Amino acid sequence: MLDYKIITAVTTEPVTLAEAKLHLRANSESFSDGIATSQSIAPGSHTIAASYGTVGAAVDVLGYFSAVNLNAGACETGGSVAAKIQESDDFVTWTDFTGGAFTTVTEANDNSVQEIEYTGGKQYIRVAATVAGAACEFSADVITVTGEDAEDSLISDLVTAAREYCEAFTGRALAPQTLEAYLDRFPCRNHIELPMPPLQSVTSVKYKDSSGTETTMTADTEYIVDVDSTVGRIVLPYGVTWPSFTAWTVNPIRVRYTAGYSATNPMPKTIKQAMLLLICHWYDHKSAVGDVGGRMELAVHALLSLHRVRWFG
Protein backbone atom coordinates (compact mmCIF):
# COMPACT_ATOMS: atom_id res chain seq x y z
CA MET A 1 0.00 0.00 0.00
CA LEU A 2 1.26 3.50 -0.85
CA ASP A 3 0.05 6.65 0.85
CA TYR A 4 1.42 10.17 1.10
CA LYS A 5 1.17 13.44 3.01
CA ILE A 6 2.25 17.04 2.54
CA ILE A 7 5.39 17.97 4.47
CA THR A 8 5.84 21.57 3.29
CA ALA A 9 2.72 23.22 1.93
CA VAL A 10 2.45 25.59 -1.04
CA THR A 11 3.82 29.05 -0.29
CA THR A 12 3.10 30.74 -3.65
CA GLU A 13 -0.22 30.04 -5.31
CA PRO A 14 -0.28 29.46 -9.11
CA VAL A 15 -2.94 32.18 -9.41
CA THR A 16 -1.89 35.42 -7.70
CA LEU A 17 -4.22 37.60 -5.67
CA ALA A 18 -3.83 40.33 -8.30
CA GLU A 19 -4.83 37.95 -11.11
CA ALA A 20 -7.87 36.74 -9.15
CA LYS A 21 -9.00 40.30 -8.36
CA LEU A 22 -8.53 41.33 -11.99
CA HIS A 23 -10.62 38.35 -13.12
CA LEU A 24 -13.31 39.20 -10.57
CA ARG A 25 -13.19 42.92 -11.38
CA ALA A 26 -13.06 43.30 -7.61
CA ASN A 27 -11.59 46.81 -7.56
CA SER A 28 -13.95 49.80 -7.44
CA GLU A 29 -11.62 52.82 -7.31
CA SER A 30 -11.29 55.44 -10.00
CA PHE A 31 -8.49 54.96 -12.51
CA SER A 32 -6.23 57.52 -10.81
CA ASP A 33 -6.85 56.04 -7.37
CA GLY A 34 -6.18 52.54 -8.61
CA ILE A 35 -2.77 53.27 -10.17
CA ALA A 36 0.41 53.90 -8.20
CA THR A 37 3.92 54.59 -9.50
CA SER A 38 7.13 54.04 -7.54
CA GLN A 39 10.67 54.91 -8.60
CA SER A 40 13.16 52.09 -8.54
CA ILE A 41 15.93 53.99 -10.35
CA ALA A 42 15.59 57.77 -10.17
CA PRO A 43 15.81 59.74 -13.44
CA GLY A 44 19.16 61.27 -14.30
CA SER A 45 22.46 60.74 -16.04
CA HIS A 46 23.95 57.49 -14.71
CA THR A 47 27.67 56.86 -14.96
CA ILE A 48 29.38 53.67 -16.09
CA ALA A 49 28.54 50.74 -13.78
CA ALA A 50 29.58 47.21 -14.66
CA SER A 51 27.84 43.92 -13.76
CA TYR A 52 24.47 45.48 -12.96
CA GLY A 53 26.09 47.79 -10.49
CA THR A 54 23.29 50.35 -10.69
CA VAL A 55 20.72 48.84 -8.34
CA GLY A 56 17.33 50.46 -7.86
CA ALA A 57 15.15 50.68 -4.79
CA ALA A 58 12.87 47.74 -4.00
CA VAL A 59 9.10 48.05 -4.40
CA ASP A 60 6.52 45.89 -2.57
CA VAL A 61 4.20 44.42 -5.22
CA LEU A 62 2.59 41.58 -3.26
CA GLY A 63 -1.10 41.33 -4.12
CA TYR A 64 -0.89 43.87 -6.94
CA PHE A 65 -0.86 43.71 -10.71
CA SER A 66 2.42 45.37 -11.66
CA ALA A 67 4.60 46.42 -14.58
CA VAL A 68 8.02 48.02 -14.89
CA ASN A 69 8.88 50.88 -17.25
CA LEU A 70 12.43 51.60 -18.38
CA ASN A 71 12.46 55.26 -19.45
CA ALA A 72 15.53 55.85 -21.60
CA GLY A 73 16.84 59.33 -22.29
CA ALA A 74 19.93 60.13 -24.34
CA CYS A 75 22.98 57.87 -24.34
CA GLU A 76 26.35 59.51 -24.87
CA THR A 77 28.47 58.28 -27.77
CA GLY A 78 29.29 54.62 -27.23
CA GLY A 79 27.06 54.35 -24.19
CA SER A 80 24.58 51.54 -23.51
CA VAL A 81 22.19 50.42 -20.78
CA ALA A 82 21.32 46.77 -20.05
CA ALA A 83 18.58 46.57 -17.41
CA LYS A 84 16.62 43.72 -15.84
CA ILE A 85 13.99 43.06 -13.18
CA GLN A 86 15.01 41.24 -10.03
CA GLU A 87 12.69 39.69 -7.43
CA SER A 88 12.85 38.66 -3.78
CA ASP A 89 10.67 37.27 -1.01
CA ASP A 90 12.84 38.38 1.91
CA PHE A 91 14.41 41.66 0.73
CA VAL A 92 17.82 39.95 1.06
CA THR A 93 18.18 37.26 -1.61
CA TRP A 94 17.53 38.59 -5.11
CA THR A 95 17.18 36.57 -8.30
CA ASP A 96 16.52 37.55 -11.91
CA PHE A 97 12.86 37.48 -12.94
CA THR A 98 12.50 35.18 -15.95
CA GLY A 99 11.58 37.28 -18.96
CA GLY A 100 12.51 40.47 -17.13
CA ALA A 101 15.44 41.62 -19.29
CA PHE A 102 14.88 44.84 -21.23
CA THR A 103 16.28 45.37 -24.73
CA THR A 104 19.70 46.99 -24.40
CA VAL A 105 19.50 50.76 -24.94
CA THR A 106 22.08 52.44 -27.19
CA GLU A 107 22.24 55.65 -29.20
CA ALA A 108 20.24 53.86 -31.90
CA ASN A 109 17.16 53.31 -29.70
CA ASP A 110 17.48 55.81 -26.85
CA ASN A 111 14.79 58.34 -25.89
CA SER A 112 12.24 55.53 -25.67
CA VAL A 113 10.14 53.63 -23.14
CA GLN A 114 10.06 49.88 -22.61
CA GLU A 115 7.49 48.09 -20.45
CA ILE A 116 7.55 44.58 -18.97
CA GLU A 117 4.68 43.10 -16.97
CA TYR A 118 5.74 41.43 -13.73
CA THR A 119 3.93 38.10 -13.43
CA GLY A 120 6.01 36.50 -10.69
CA GLY A 121 4.86 35.75 -7.19
CA LYS A 122 7.54 37.42 -5.07
CA GLN A 123 6.82 40.27 -2.67
CA TYR A 124 9.53 42.69 -3.84
CA ILE A 125 10.93 43.69 -7.21
CA ARG A 126 13.63 46.14 -8.31
CA VAL A 127 15.58 47.10 -11.42
CA ALA A 128 19.34 46.59 -11.82
CA ALA A 129 21.30 48.03 -14.73
CA THR A 130 24.70 47.86 -16.36
CA VAL A 131 25.89 51.13 -17.90
CA ALA A 132 28.73 50.61 -20.37
CA GLY A 133 30.86 52.81 -22.61
CA ALA A 134 29.60 56.21 -21.46
CA ALA A 135 27.01 57.85 -19.24
CA CYS A 136 23.33 57.41 -20.14
CA GLU A 137 20.15 59.09 -19.03
CA PHE A 138 17.41 56.74 -17.85
CA SER A 139 15.08 55.82 -15.02
CA ALA A 140 12.99 52.83 -13.99
CA ASP A 141 9.48 52.97 -12.53
CA VAL A 142 7.32 50.26 -11.01
CA ILE A 143 3.62 50.71 -11.75
CA THR A 144 1.12 48.89 -9.54
CA VAL A 145 -2.64 48.55 -9.83
CA THR A 146 -3.79 49.01 -6.27
CA GLY A 147 -7.15 47.92 -5.02
CA GLU A 148 -9.43 47.61 -2.06
CA ASP A 149 -8.18 44.98 0.36
CA ALA A 150 -11.36 44.40 2.35
CA GLU A 151 -11.95 41.07 0.60
CA ASP A 152 -8.33 40.14 -0.04
CA SER A 153 -8.40 37.47 2.68
CA LEU A 154 -11.56 35.91 1.24
CA ILE A 155 -10.20 35.94 -2.31
CA SER A 156 -6.88 34.47 -1.18
CA ASP A 157 -8.76 31.66 0.55
CA LEU A 158 -10.78 31.06 -2.63
CA VAL A 159 -7.55 30.82 -4.64
CA THR A 160 -6.21 28.19 -2.25
CA ALA A 161 -9.51 26.30 -2.24
CA ALA A 162 -9.61 26.32 -6.05
CA ARG A 163 -6.06 24.97 -6.24
CA GLU A 164 -6.83 22.21 -3.75
CA TYR A 165 -9.98 21.27 -5.68
CA CYS A 166 -8.08 21.12 -8.97
CA GLU A 167 -5.24 19.14 -7.37
CA ALA A 168 -7.69 16.57 -5.98
CA PHE A 169 -9.47 16.22 -9.34
CA THR A 170 -6.36 16.01 -11.56
CA GLY A 171 -4.04 14.20 -9.15
CA ARG A 172 -1.38 16.83 -9.88
CA ALA A 173 0.58 19.23 -7.68
CA LEU A 174 -0.14 22.65 -9.13
CA ALA A 175 2.55 24.51 -7.17
CA PRO A 176 5.85 23.42 -5.57
CA GLN A 177 5.41 21.47 -2.35
CA THR A 178 7.32 18.85 -0.37
CA LEU A 179 5.62 15.46 -0.03
CA GLU A 180 6.43 12.16 1.61
CA ALA A 181 5.19 8.82 0.29
CA TYR A 182 4.85 5.81 2.57
CA LEU A 183 5.01 2.13 1.66
CA ASP A 184 4.50 -1.07 3.66
CA ARG A 185 6.99 -2.92 1.48
CA PHE A 186 9.07 -2.55 -1.65
CA PRO A 187 7.14 -3.50 -4.83
CA CYS A 188 7.72 -6.55 -7.01
CA ARG A 189 8.41 -4.35 -10.03
CA ASN A 190 11.53 -2.23 -10.52
CA HIS A 191 10.00 1.18 -9.80
CA ILE A 192 7.84 3.18 -7.40
CA GLU A 193 5.47 5.80 -8.80
CA LEU A 194 5.22 8.96 -6.72
CA PRO A 195 1.83 10.65 -6.34
CA MET A 196 1.03 14.24 -7.33
CA PRO A 197 3.16 14.89 -10.42
CA PRO A 198 5.01 16.63 -11.89
CA LEU A 199 7.99 15.35 -9.93
CA GLN A 200 10.79 17.89 -9.47
CA SER A 201 13.32 16.01 -7.35
CA VAL A 202 13.73 13.31 -4.70
CA THR A 203 15.27 14.30 -1.38
CA SER A 204 15.65 10.85 0.20
CA VAL A 205 14.54 7.21 0.14
CA LYS A 206 14.66 5.58 3.59
CA TYR A 207 13.63 2.24 5.07
CA LYS A 208 13.35 1.16 8.73
CA ASP A 209 13.89 -2.38 9.97
CA SER A 210 12.11 -4.13 12.83
CA SER A 211 14.65 -2.88 15.38
CA GLY A 212 13.95 0.76 14.43
CA THR A 213 17.19 1.28 12.52
CA GLU A 214 16.63 3.59 9.53
CA THR A 215 18.79 3.33 6.41
CA THR A 216 19.03 5.95 3.67
CA MET A 217 19.45 4.60 0.15
CA THR A 218 22.08 6.09 -2.16
CA ALA A 219 20.84 7.99 -5.19
CA ASP A 220 22.12 6.90 -8.63
CA THR A 221 23.64 3.75 -7.08
CA GLU A 222 20.61 2.13 -5.43
CA TYR A 223 17.90 4.06 -7.29
CA ILE A 224 17.45 6.47 -10.21
CA VAL A 225 15.04 9.42 -10.23
CA ASP A 226 12.74 9.64 -13.27
CA VAL A 227 11.30 13.16 -13.60
CA ASP A 228 10.41 12.79 -17.29
CA SER A 229 7.52 10.34 -17.05
CA THR A 230 4.02 11.75 -16.58
CA VAL A 231 4.03 10.25 -13.10
CA GLY A 232 7.52 10.61 -11.62
CA ARG A 233 9.27 7.50 -10.35
CA ILE A 234 12.23 6.10 -8.52
CA VAL A 235 13.65 3.24 -10.56
CA LEU A 236 16.14 0.49 -9.82
CA PRO A 237 19.38 0.66 -11.85
CA TYR A 238 20.18 -2.31 -14.04
CA GLY A 239 21.18 -5.35 -11.96
CA VAL A 240 20.10 -3.81 -8.64
CA THR A 241 17.32 -5.16 -6.39
CA TRP A 242 15.33 -3.57 -3.59
CA PRO A 243 16.82 -4.03 -0.10
CA SER A 244 15.83 -7.22 1.76
CA PHE A 245 15.01 -6.57 5.42
CA THR A 246 12.56 -7.30 8.20
CA ALA A 247 10.32 -4.27 8.10
CA TRP A 248 9.15 -1.95 10.87
CA THR A 249 5.47 -2.47 11.63
CA VAL A 250 4.09 0.82 10.24
CA ASN A 251 5.16 2.64 7.06
CA PRO A 252 8.73 1.33 7.03
CA ILE A 253 9.60 2.88 3.64
CA ARG A 254 9.51 6.65 3.14
CA VAL A 255 10.25 8.68 0.01
CA ARG A 256 10.54 12.44 0.46
CA TYR A 257 10.34 14.53 -2.70
CA THR A 258 9.37 17.87 -4.24
CA ALA A 259 6.57 18.07 -6.79
CA GLY A 260 4.66 20.79 -8.57
CA TYR A 261 4.71 23.08 -11.57
CA SER A 262 7.37 25.78 -11.65
CA ALA A 263 8.73 28.64 -13.74
CA THR A 264 10.56 26.17 -15.99
CA ASN A 265 7.56 23.83 -16.18
CA PRO A 266 4.53 26.15 -15.92
CA MET A 267 1.03 25.03 -15.03
CA PRO A 268 -1.17 24.52 -18.14
CA LYS A 269 -3.44 27.43 -19.01
CA THR A 270 -6.49 25.16 -19.01
CA ILE A 271 -5.96 24.35 -15.31
CA LYS A 272 -5.51 28.03 -14.56
CA GLN A 273 -8.78 28.80 -16.36
CA ALA A 274 -10.52 26.12 -14.29
CA MET A 275 -9.20 27.73 -11.12
CA LEU A 276 -10.47 31.14 -12.22
CA LEU A 277 -13.91 29.70 -13.01
CA LEU A 278 -14.13 28.20 -9.54
CA ILE A 279 -12.90 31.37 -7.85
CA CYS A 280 -15.44 33.49 -9.73
CA HIS A 281 -18.30 31.07 -9.02
CA TRP A 282 -17.56 30.85 -5.29
CA TYR A 283 -17.06 34.61 -5.05
CA ASP A 284 -20.43 35.28 -6.68
CA HIS A 285 -22.20 32.59 -4.63
CA LYS A 286 -20.99 32.88 -1.05
CA SER A 287 -23.57 30.38 0.20
CA ALA A 288 -24.80 27.01 -1.06
CA VAL A 289 -26.51 27.25 -4.45
CA GLY A 290 -28.64 24.88 -6.47
CA ASP A 291 -26.28 24.75 -9.47
CA VAL A 292 -23.56 22.82 -7.63
CA GLY A 293 -23.58 20.03 -10.22
CA GLY A 294 -24.57 22.21 -13.16
CA ARG A 295 -22.92 23.82 -16.14
CA MET A 296 -20.14 25.56 -14.21
CA GLU A 297 -18.91 22.29 -12.72
CA LEU A 298 -19.14 20.58 -16.11
CA ALA A 299 -17.00 23.35 -17.61
CA VAL A 300 -14.42 23.01 -14.85
CA HIS A 301 -14.29 19.24 -15.20
CA ALA A 302 -13.97 19.51 -18.99
CA LEU A 303 -10.87 21.67 -18.56
CA LEU A 304 -9.34 19.57 -15.78
CA SER A 305 -10.02 16.23 -17.46
CA LEU A 306 -7.37 17.09 -20.04
CA HIS A 307 -4.74 16.72 -17.32
CA ARG A 308 -6.14 14.04 -15.02
CA VAL A 309 -3.58 11.37 -14.11
CA ARG A 310 -3.61 8.06 -12.30
CA TRP A 311 -0.79 6.69 -10.22
CA PHE A 312 -0.45 3.13 -9.02
CA GLY A 313 2.21 3.30 -6.30
Side-chain angles (χ1 to χ4, degrees), residues 192-207:
I192 299 171
E193 292 183 336
L194 299 175
M196 301 300 286
L199 175 65
Q200 291 188 11
S201 62
V202 172
T203 304
S204 63
V205 180
K206 299 180 180 182
Y207 60 93

Side-chain angles (χ1 to χ4, degrees), residues 4-231:
Y4 72 96
K5 70 176 182 180
I6 297 173
I7 302 299
T8 304
V10 170
T11 57
T12 302
E13 294 290 353
V15 172
T16 66
L17 177 61
E19 288 175 313
K21 292 175 72 171
L22 185 64
H23 182 75
L24 296 171
R25 302 297 190 266
N27 298 328
S28 60
E29 297 92 345
S30 66
F31 178 79
S32 60
D33 290 337
I35 298 291
T37 304
S38 302
Q39 284 185 348
S40 182
I41 297 177
S45 178
H46 297 275
T47 58
I48 294 174
S51 301
Y52 296 96
T54 299
V55 178
V59 178
D60 189 339
V61 296
L62 189 63
Y64 300 130
F65 174 84
S66 56
V68 180
N69 280 350
L70 178 65
N71 302 298
C75 284
E76 295 183 7
T77 302
S80 66
V81 179
K84 62 183 178 181
I85 301 170
Q86 296 182 321
E87 58 185 1
S88 174
D89 262 335
D90 57 10
F91 212 78
V92 176
T93 302
W94 292 87
T95 56
D96 295 344
F97 165 57
T98 302
F102 293 92
T103 300
T104 299
V105 179
T106 64
E107 291 178 272
N109 63 342
D110 59 7
N111 293 302
S112 61
V113 177
Q114 298 181 47
E115 179 182 273
I116 294 178
E117 179 184 359
Y118 177 69
T119 56
K122 304 295 185 181
Q123 181 168 0
Y124 305 101
I125 61 174
R126 69 184 185 187
V127 177
T130 299
V131 183
C136 293
E137 296 176 352
F138 67 95
S139 65
D141 298 326
V142 177
I143 301 169
T144 55
V145 178
T146 60
E148 295 178 345
D149 58 6
E151 293 190 304
D152 281 5
S153 179
L154 168 64
I155 296 172
S156 294
D157 288 344
L158 293 179
V159 170
T160 300
R163 173 183 54 80
E164 291 175 349
Y165 181 100
C166 294
E167 285 181 332
F169 188 91
T170 62
R172 293 178 179 269
L174 302 187
Q177 51 198 277
T178 302
L179 304 165
E180 194 162 76
Y182 303 91
L183 298 91
D184 293 327
R185 60 184 178 274
F186 284 111
C188 298
R189 56 184 181 274
N190 74 335
H191 66 271
I192 299 171
E193 292 183 336
L194 299 175
M196 301 300 286
L199 175 65
Q200 291 188 11
S201 62
V202 172
T203 304
S204 63
V205 180
K206 299 180 180 182
Y207 60 93
K208 184 189 292 186
D209 64 22
S210 57
S211 67
T213 301
E214 192 169 63
T215 302
T216 301
M217 297 179 66
T218 304
D220 299 328
T221 300
E222 295 182 279
Y223 67 90
I224 299 169
V225 178
D226 172 19
V227 298
D228 297 318
S229 296
T230 299
V231 178

